[in-house]
Amino acid sequence: MNFFKVSSVDETKDIIDEYFHLEVEGEQVDIFNCVNRIAFDYIRADCNIPEFKRSTVDGFAVNSRDVFGATEAIPAILTLKGEILMGKVTDFNIVDGECAYVPTGGMLPEYADSVIMLEYTQKLDEDTILVYSPVASGDNVIQKGEDIQNDNIVIRKGEKIRPYEVGVLASIGIKHVNVCKKIKVGIISTGNELIACEDELTLGKIRDINTYMLWAAIIDDGAEPINYGIVKDDYKLLKHTICRATEECDILVISGGSSVGKKDQTIKAIEDFEDGKILVHGVSVKPGKPTIVAKKGDKIIFGLPGHPLACSIVYIIFIREYINKAMCYKKEVYAVKSIMSINYHKAKGREEYLPVALENDGDRIIAKPIFGKSGLISTFSRAWGYIKIEKDLEGLREGQVVEIYKL
């Protein structure tokens, strides 16, 4: 029996960077299908937004000099030149002592530099407006190009396109967007004890959790999962499935079969390929120690522990990061500072990821560890996030300020 030669998390990441350089191609998609996709190129505006001076209120377009010093006692008296219609180009200009009615979003005449709100005006007659308050140049006006200027970068390469960026794309008239092609991630679950979630549960069997959990995580990360089903503890069948999956996918994830038990065939199946090689077998992380990183040709293979909690942690640490890096996506992760509710001891020398729930206590946020064995899926489902405890630490103290990362 071969035992683990354990690598640290950082050493494992360095090995992945050394051996694998996945290059993702771009594809053009309709604007309605680009949300949560990663921009493949820098996207620049080819126009100004807005293309003209616009009012932000209902009121009268004026030149600020004409209402300087206006008060309720001594109002400015202006001649009403006309009304500006929405969606229409202004066909008249105002001069000294004149104003024009303008609705919210309407285009200002050339001479006007500000808009006085209706609340500070009174219509004396059909042609005369009294103004009871001064305005500064630019008040209640969006200038030409103030929102977006022509040739400005509006979306950067590697940026995830959210609904708000979709709005920006629509504003500059972009109907089709060049995004990163979805990385194909194959999923294999191994074990004689596994059955599909819809199958009847009999004594000694367990429903496959990891396939469905990984499927959802891969979709959430903007990649395309491909399910190769449950493979029993059969060497030939597993080797055949690995061969097929590595031909069809960019990444292969094998759940289960990564420990050193006699029935675990994953290591043997990979090593028996002419171009197969085990790069890492065992990572100093809790949970998730029996993790495999391997290669077949230029394709990366991750062997994840069968226990759902450990499987989830290893996915977060390595696979999500690999997917993001391949698409040049730098996900911003912000920690929530909280107060540790109890003393927590851990073994020194191993990085640990501790699931926690959060509770409000006045103006403090309390972190409460959720304890459970790595085979329990409910541990993560009850957690808001996790604490990353560095390998050199022996634990956390009650009352200590800790950083919680959202799951």
Side-chain angles (χ1 to χ4, degrees):
M1 181 184 292
N2 295 320
F3 291 94
F4 299 123
K5 182 182 178 182
V6 176
S7 302
S8 70
V9 170
D10 288 339
E11 287 170 344
T12 302
K13 289 182 178 181
D14 288 341
I15 289 169
I16 292 171
D17 288 341
E18 178 184 350
Y19 279 88
F20 303 101
H21 305 280
L22 178 58
E23 294 185 4
V24 178
E25 297 178 347
E27 64 177 350
Q28 202 169 73
V29 298
D30 186 272
I31 189 173
F32 287 112
N33 298 313
C34 73
V35 71
N36 286 334
R37 300 293 296 272
I38 306 299
F40 186 75
D41 299 310
Y42 290 92
I43 301 175
R44 294 181 178 272
D46 61 358
C47 60
N48 293 303
I49 302 295
E51 280 285 8
F52 52 86
K53 290 188 294 184
R54 298 176 62 187
S55 174
T56 62
V57 297
D58 290 341
F60 293 94
V62 300
N63 188 290
S64 55
R65 291 176 300 181
D66 291 335
V67 295
F68 179 77
T71 65
E72 289 189 10
I74 309 175
I77 302 172
L78 301 178
T79 300
L80 181 60
K81 182 70 175 287
E83 179 179 349
I84 296 167
L85 301 176
M86 282 296 295
K88 299 291 185 181
V89 177
T90 308
D91 58 0
F92 62 87
N93 290 321
I94 61 172
V95 296
D96 290 342
E98 292 182 338
C99 66
Y101 172 77
V102 59
T104 302
M107 179 178 176
L108 269 65
E110 188 64 33
Y111 178 75
D113 66 358
S114 53
V115 177
I116 184 76
M117 295 173 68
L118 284 176
E119 293 92 317
Y120 302 113
T121 66
Q122 180 182 346
K123 197 170 185 180
L124 190 62
D125 56 40
E126 290 301 315
D127 300 318
T128 309
I129 300 296
L130 301 180
V131 178
Y132 298 109
S133 175
V135 287
S137 178
D139 278 0
N140 303 317
V141 174
I142 297 178
Q143 302 295 334
K144 178 179 178 179
E146 184 176 333
D147 193 354
I148 300 171
Q149 290 188 354
N150 185 33
D151 203 41
N152 274 7
I153 295 172
V154 294
I155 298 178
R156 297 185 175 278
K157 180 178 180 178
E159 187 175 345
K160 181 173 281 190
I161 300 173
R162 305 171 299 169
Y164 321 107
E165 281 76 42
V166 173
V168 170
L169 292 170
S171 75
I172 59 176
I174 292 182
K175 181 70 168 65
H176 296 93
V177 190
N178 208 19
V179 297
C180 292
K181 277 189 175 180
K182 289 188 176 184
I183 294 170
K184 293 182 178 181
V185 184
I187 305 170
I188 299 173
S189 280
T190 64
N192 290 334
E193 74 281 10
L194 296 181
I195 60 172
C197 72
E198 67 273 14
D199 291 347
E200 183 180 352
L201 194 61
T202 57
L203 211 56
K205 298 292 185 181
I206 59 173
R207 289 195 174 97
D208 177 16
I209 295 170
N210 290 350
T211 292
Y212 303 94
M213 185 175 62
L214 289 167
W215 181 282
I218 290 163
I219 288 177
D220 195 43
D221 289 328
E224 179 184 344
I226 299 175
N227 182 18
Y228 290 91
I230 297 169
V231 176
K232 303 301 181 183
D233 293 323
D234 181 305
Y235 166 78
K236 288 184 179 179
L237 179 58
L238 179 59
K239 187 175 180 183
H240 171 77
T241 310
I242 290 173
C243 184
R244 178 184 161 204
T246 50
E247 287 176 356
E248 297 173 348
C249 301
D250 303 299
I251 302 169
L252 175 58
V253 179
I254 304 173
S255 167
S258 63
S259 70
V260 292
K262 290 182 180 179
K263 291 186 178 179
D264 295 326
Q265 305 288 339
T266 305
I267 293 283
K268 178 173 170 50
I270 294 170
E271 287 184 326
D272 282 354
F273 286 109
E274 214 173 282
D275 56 352
K277 183 178 181 180
I278 303 297
L279 304 173
V280 175
H281 187 199
V283 180
S284 56
V285 63
K286 180 183 177 183
K289 181 180 178 182
T291 294
I292 294 169
V293 179
K295 67 188 291 287
K296 182 184 180 303
D298 60 351
K299 301 294 180 67
I300 190 168
I301 301 173
F302 291 97
L304 307 188
H307 289 158
L309 178 58
C311 178
S312 299
I313 288 294
V314 175
Y315 178 88
I316 290 169
I317 299 171
F318 298 117
I319 302 175
R320 175 171 292 161
E321 183 171 309
Y322 184 72
I323 290 171
N324 288 342
K325 189 175 289 186
M327 293 190 292
C328 299
Y329 174 47
K330 294 182 180 178
K331 185 176 182 179
E332 299 293 341
V333 179
Y334 301 100
V336 174
K337 292 190 181 297
S338 306
I339 306 298
M340 191 68 181
S341 63
I342 61 170
N343 290 321
Y344 180 77
H345 176 75
K346 68 172 272 291
K348 194 173 181 181
R350 194 160 53 159
E351 199 170 286
E352 183 168 340
Y353 290 72
L354 179 65
V356 295
L358 298 184
E359 287 186 7
N360 285 313
D361 180 20
D363 59 351
R364 304 190 311 163
I365 300 174
I366 306 299
K368 294 192 170 184
I370 297 177
F371 296 107
K373 298 175 181 177
S374 58
L376 305 179
I377 182 58
S378 62
T379 303
F380 251 22
S381 69
R382 291 183 285 121
W384 184 90
Y386 62 88
I387 304 171
K388 177 184 174 183
I389 310 175
E390 299 295 341
K391 64 180 181 179
D392 294 331
L393 297 178
E394 293 184 353
L396 303 170
R397 303 184 312 275
E398 180 180 352
Q400 180 179 344
V401 176
V402 292
E403 293 186 335
I404 315 296
Y405 296 91
K406 186 168 175 48
L407 286 170

